[in-house]
Amino acid sequence: MSNEENKSETDKNLPSSIQFHVSPDLEYVYRDIFNVYVGAGDVVIEFGNLHRSMPEHASISNRIVMSVGNAYTLMQTMQQALQQAHDRLQKNFQKRS
């Protein structure tokens, strides 16, 4: 199967080169828990935080909904990025040894 056949419908509608603009006041937030729900046509990812003063309690703060195809793309992109970071850490560790 070719790469073109593996692309989701959303990917096919996007230009081949996208320029991203990041607002200087973009908010960065820390989340230490997540839930994932998969339905027939979409995936819901919820992010939240554990309560420091109430063990075994958490609050959901963000909910992101995406297509199943985009969820696969996100999963693959994260896997590749984590593998690259792991490889860099291993190389740095070997240089120090």
Side-chain angles (χ1 to χ4, degrees):
M1 201 181 289
S2 72
N3 285 343
E4 188 63 30
E5 292 174 277
N6 287 331
K7 288 187 174 186
S8 70
E9 287 302 313
T10 303
D11 291 343
K12 290 178 184 176
N13 295 329
L14 293 176
S16 61
S17 176
I18 297 176
Q19 293 183 11
F20 290 89
H21 299 277
V22 180
S23 173
D25 60 345
L26 178 69
E27 181 183 11
Y28 284 78
V29 294
Y30 176 80
R31 300 291 183 243
D32 53 14
I33 64 162
F34 64 91
N35 292 317
V36 177
Y37 302 97
V38 180
D42 56 16
V43 176
V44 178
I45 307 170
E46 298 176 327
F47 296 95
N49 293 93
L50 297 168
H51 284 280
R52 305 295 183 229
S53 60
M54 295 188 301
E56 299 182 25
H57 287 82
S59 293
I60 299 299
S61 303
N62 307 98
R63 184 174 287 142
I64 298 171
V65 181
M66 61 180 59
S67 69
V68 172
N70 281 341
Y72 273 112
T73 301
L74 173 63
M75 183 182 69
Q76 291 170 346
T77 303
M78 288 186 70
Q79 182 67 38
Q80 290 170 356
L82 289 169
Q83 185 62 52
Q84 290 170 359
H86 174 77
D87 293 345
R88 282 192 306 270
L89 286 171
Q90 289 289 65
K91 285 179 185 176
N92 288 338
F93 179 73
Q94 290 173 354
K95 286 179 184 178
R96 292 181 182 177
S97 296

